[in-house]
Amino acid sequence: MPLVRAELRWPSAAGARLEGATATGCVAYGKHLLTRFDDGRTLHTHLRMEGYWRVHRTGSREAAARNPAVRAVLGTAAWTCLGWHLGMLDLLRTRDEPRVLGHLGPDVLADDFPDAGLAEGVRRLAAQGPRPVCEALLDQRVVAGLGTIWMAETLFALRLWPWTPASGLDDDARAAVLLTGRRLMGRSVAVGRSRGLGAVETAVHGRARRPCPRCRTPIAVGQANEPPYERPVFWCPSCQARP
């Protein structure tokens, strides 16, 4: 169904016209979303920490999109998609997608990750040397897709001290980290689809001072990266003790 309304409320794309184009699909690569159209263009967006998309019936009060926090409006005769608080927005030729994605590591949720991306992810993780594994996993240039939540949940599942040097793990352990992250994220997607947003419960993330679900030790919170790029790291001081 072709677009009858298209507003890109972004300085570099404000004059673009998408009316008449039909979306052929929307795919994710890590934290990046690629909405592809049949005219050979792609809308690239990134949610950062606050962004989200919502779908409303065209003509409804919600679809009016009068709020200044709405950065993109894509509407057909039946449905209207609103991009709220988007952190990035580019309109580019579909063949130029590598220009915005080329710096990223392999996507841990890609269908072919175990066969085509795992070895490269292990290599990039090993190349981080003494860098703490919690920081390396947050670096989208190492692998794309893992964020603060699933970094913490992955390391807890494997009983790894978050500040273990990446070089302190062997290749089997690095592969286990990446595959565990993939498994946990995949499970959260499945649960979210069946039960709705916010349905996935975490073991450690966001549970500071609450008892560890394994040993009842209070969950601690530390820090990955230096300001202004710091991120919280939730962990169990007992299950994930420093070696």
Side-chain angles (χ1 to χ4, degrees), residues 7-11 31 33 44-54 56 65-73 81-90:
E7 300 172 16
L8 303 181
R9 302 171 182 177
W10 199 268
K31 299 173 181 292
L33 299 177
H44 162 244
T45 56
H46 192 297
L47 304 182
R48 300 257 186 223
M49 298 296 290
E50 297 83 17
Y52 54 91
W53 284 89
R54 292 292 183 268
H56 304 286
R66 296 189 179 93
N67 195 301
V70 176
R71 303 284 189 249
V73 181
C81 300
L82 307 182
W84 291 78
H85 302 284
L86 300 178
M88 290 184 188
L89 188 150
D90 300 283

Side-chain angles (χ1 to χ4, degrees), residues 60-233:
S60 66
R61 178 174 57 84
E62 293 83 1
R66 296 189 179 93
N67 195 301
V70 176
R71 303 284 189 249
V73 181
L74 302 175
T76 69
W79 300 100
T80 298
C81 300
L82 307 182
W84 291 78
H85 302 284
L86 300 178
M88 290 184 188
L89 188 150
D90 300 283
L91 186 64
L92 65 159
R93 295 177 298 184
T94 300
R95 66 173 180 264
D96 292 335
E97 288 176 2
R99 179 167 61 83
V100 294
L101 302 179
H103 66 290
L104 299 173
D107 181 359
V108 296
L109 280 184
D111 291 341
D112 62 352
F113 178 77
D115 299 318
L118 179 59
E120 177 62 13
V122 167
R123 186 193 68 78
R124 292 188 182 213
L125 190 55
Q128 298 301 299
R131 189 179 188 187
V133 66
C134 62
E135 295 183 6
L137 292 177
L138 293 176
D139 189 337
Q140 302 297 295
R141 296 168 298 182
V142 178
V143 288
L146 283 171
T148 309
I149 296 175
W150 300 112
M151 169 273 293
E153 296 298 304
T154 296
L155 298 180
F156 174 76
L158 294 173
R159 298 176 180 263
L160 273 175
W161 184 54
W163 295 273
T164 300
S167 57
L169 304 174
D170 60 24
D171 281 352
D172 287 344
R174 296 183 190 106
V177 167
L178 300 181
L179 290 175
T180 299
R182 172 185 169 85
R183 174 177 59 81
L184 294 176
M185 290 173 58
R187 186 176 67 185
S188 78
V189 171
V191 171
R193 284 175 177 166
S194 63
R195 301 183 188 174
L197 296 175
V200 179
E201 294 185 3
T202 59
V204 289
H205 183 81
R207 295 172 56 88
R209 296 182 296 279
R210 295 173 64 183
C212 168
R214 276 199 296 242
C215 71
R216 313 308 291 173
T217 300
I219 298 299
V221 59
Q223 177 180 305
N225 299 321
E226 296 297 323
Y229 304 108
E230 72 272 21
R231 291 290 183 269
V233 182

Side-chain angles (χ1 to χ4, degrees), residues 14-37:
R17 299 298 301 272
L18 279 169
E19 292 85 350
T22 298
T24 59
C26 186
V27 299
Y29 191 104
K31 299 173 181 292
H32 299 256
L33 299 177
L34 303 169
T35 304
R36 295 169 179 151
F37 299 96

